[in-house]
Amino acid sequence: MSLRLYYHPLSSFCMKVLTALYEKDLSFEKDVVDFMDPVASASFTEVWPIRQFPVLRDDARGKTIPESSLIIEYLDLHYPGKAQMLPADIEPAFRARQLDRFFDLHVQVPMQKIVTDNFRPEGQNDAFGVNECKKKLTVAYGILEKELSNTVWATGDHYTMADCAASPALFYANLTVPLGGEHPNVSRYLDRLMNRPSFARALEEAQPYFHMRPE
């Protein structure tokens, strides 16, 4: 088996890649990265010295691919499997990339800032930064409410890389800053994402680790 994914089940960006892999129904090895384990940490550092996951290692092609969006595009190029995560046509593919970046940069990033603030040493929390990120999430919800008004998936009728990104982004963001009744289109979209078998599988695999996530 040539593909190996270095990841952690609780990571939103790793869930994004897992969702794509499950959509494609590809065979791959899983390597859970545990930075608290010196041996596992050193092993991962050799693979990717930046020490951020997810990272895909393709031994057959001698390639190491970091970053969730790049991994998904790499899989589309070399391991399409049962589903392509980017449309073949240029314009729809651009739209999928555009929304992929939106979910990563404007939903995932502020959500992670809010959550990771809980891990700061006592007295070193960033209350102002957290509040600003909550505002950014609310703005992002408002934009998505309009974008998702007449669509099944992010870019239309077809499930794409953008939906892989949206799944963990909106799932965790809703736990952090609830969507509420003023975002019905986004809420219905999140329900569809949650019921997609690929993401439901990734979410189920993360459940044993949910106790590690701060409230």
Side-chain angles (χ1 to χ4, degrees), residues 8 19-20 56-57 62 83 96-97 101 111 134 148 154 158 172 202:
H8 193 280
T19 300
L56 182 74
R57 175 63 189 172
R97 290 187 179 97
R101 303 319 303 136
M111 174 274 294
K134 289 181 178 179
L148 300 169
H158 299 287
Y172 278 128

Side-chain angles (χ1 to χ4, degrees), residues 106 109-111 113-114 128-138 177:
H106 304 300
V109 169
M111 174 274 294
K113 161 67 178 176
I114 297 168
F128 176 81
V130 166
N131 190 54
E132 288 298 300
C133 285
K134 289 181 178 179
K135 291 178 183 178
K136 288 180 180 179
L137 274 181
T138 302
V177 178

Side-chain angles (χ1 to χ4, degrees), residues 72-110:
I72 294 173
E73 291 215 32
Y74 179 84
L75 292 172
D76 259 16
L77 284 172
H78 302 291
Y79 299 91
K82 292 184 176 180
Q84 287 286 97
M85 296 293 97
L86 280 175
D89 293 340
I90 294 175
E91 285 295 335
F94 176 82
R95 180 64 173 156
R97 290 187 179 97
Q98 180 184 25
L99 287 173
D100 169 80
R101 303 319 303 136
F102 184 91
F103 285 115
D104 278 4
L105 297 175
H106 304 300
V107 180
Q108 295 243 44
V109 169

Side-chain angles (χ1 to χ4, degrees), residues 134-156:
K134 289 181 178 179
K135 291 178 183 178
K136 288 180 180 179
L137 274 181
T138 302
V139 171
Y141 291 166
I143 293 172
L144 290 171
E145 184 64 19
K146 296 177 181 178
E147 294 283 346
L148 300 169
S149 60
N150 294 298
T151 184
V152 177
W153 302 112
T155 63

Side-chain angles (χ1 to χ4, degrees), residues 16-212:
K16 172 181 166 180
V17 172
L18 283 173
T19 300
L21 283 162
Y22 294 152
E23 285 285 327
K24 290 174 172 295
D25 195 23
L26 294 175
S27 296
F28 65 102
E29 295 286 348
K30 296 177 180 178
D31 199 318
V32 176
V33 178
D34 181 3
F35 288 122
M36 301 301 292
D37 181 334
V39 176
S41 179
S43 177
F44 179 61
T45 301
E46 288 184 11
V47 173
W48 186 236
I50 300 295
R51 291 169 55 84
Q52 289 181 328
F53 43 63
V55 172
L56 182 74
R57 175 63 189 172
D58 181 359
D59 286 334
R61 297 179 58 84
K63 299 291 185 180
T64 299
I65 312 298
E67 309 295 343
S68 58
S69 297
L70 293 178
I71 290 172
I72 294 173
E73 291 215 32
Y74 179 84
L75 292 172
D76 259 16
L77 284 172
H78 302 291
Y79 299 91
K82 292 184 176 180
Q84 287 286 97
M85 296 293 97
L86 280 175
D89 293 340
I90 294 175
E91 285 295 335
F94 176 82
R95 180 64 173 156
R97 290 187 179 97
Q98 180 184 25
L99 287 173
D100 169 80
R101 303 319 303 136
F102 184 91
F103 285 115
D104 278 4
L105 297 175
H106 304 300
V107 180
Q108 295 243 44
V109 169
M111 174 274 294
Q112 288 186 333
K113 161 67 178 176
I114 297 168
V115 172
T116 57
D117 191 75
N118 292 281
F119 293 106
R120 288 192 171 205
E122 186 175 354
Q124 297 185 34
N125 298 94
D126 181 12
F128 176 81
V130 166
N131 190 54
E132 288 298 300
C133 285
K134 289 181 178 179
K135 291 178 183 178
K136 288 180 180 179
L137 274 181
T138 302
V139 171
Y141 291 166
I143 293 172
L144 290 171
E145 184 64 19
K146 296 177 181 178
E147 294 283 346
L148 300 169
S149 60
N150 294 298
T151 184
V152 177
W153 302 112
T155 63
D157 294 334
H158 299 287
Y159 191 96
T160 70
M161 179 170 72
D163 302 296
C164 295
S167 300
L170 287 175
F171 169 71
Y172 278 128
N174 186 47
L175 295 178
T176 306
V177 178
L179 288 164
E182 63 270 30
H183 301 108
N185 291 328
V186 187
S187 295
R188 286 191 289 268
Y189 174 58
L190 177 57
D191 286 340
R192 291 192 291 274
L193 295 173
M194 297 282 290
N195 286 303
R196 188 81 175 186
S198 55
F199 179 60
R201 180 179 173 182
L203 200 58
E204 182 179 5
E205 292 173 357
Q207 286 183 351
Y209 299 89
F210 277 167
H211 68 279
M212 299 169 62

Side-chain angles (χ1 to χ4, degrees), residues 5-9 11-19 53-54 68:
L5 182 69
Y6 294 86
Y7 81 118
H8 193 280
S11 161
S12 54
F13 285 108
C14 294
M15 282 188 188
K16 172 181 166 180
V17 172
L18 283 173
T19 300
F53 43 63
S68 58

